[in-house]
Amino acid sequence: MKETLQHLRSIVTRTSLGITLGTASCLAKAEASAGPDFSSLTSGINMGSTVTAILAVALSLVTVYATLRGARIVLAVIKG
């Protein structure tokens, strides 16, 4: 069993090393060349309303969580 685990560990180590080296070489090649220009696509998007909507949803979730937490605290105090 111990030999099997050591063999598996060596396979995983070699695989992760290969993936890391492959990714590093791809990133090195990508860094040398200029990427595509998406400014024409993203210039028409208004991020102000999107951020406002995301913050509103997050605030709603925080309010619900705080209300539930407060109710638990009050119930714990009442129970003693």
Side-chain angles (χ1 to χ4, degrees):
M1 181 70 175
K2 187 176 181 180
E3 293 174 7
T4 305
L5 289 175
Q6 287 177 346
H7 181 67
L8 182 63
R9 182 181 291 173
S10 68
I11 291 173
V12 169
T13 303
R14 280 187 258 144
T15 304
S16 62
L17 182 63
I19 290 172
T20 303
L21 291 175
T23 304
S25 67
C26 288
L27 291 176
K29 288 180 183 179
E31 197 171 309
S33 65
D37 184 22
F38 293 117
S39 62
S40 62
L41 295 173
T42 58
S43 63
I45 299 173
N46 181 6
M47 292 303 289
S49 60
T50 306
V51 171
T52 303
I54 291 171
L55 288 176
V57 170
L59 183 61
S60 300
L61 292 173
V62 167
T63 304
V64 168
Y65 176 74
T67 303
L68 291 174
R69 183 71 178 153
R72 285 184 184 167
I73 292 171
V74 169
L75 289 174
V77 169
I78 291 173
K79 284 184 179 180

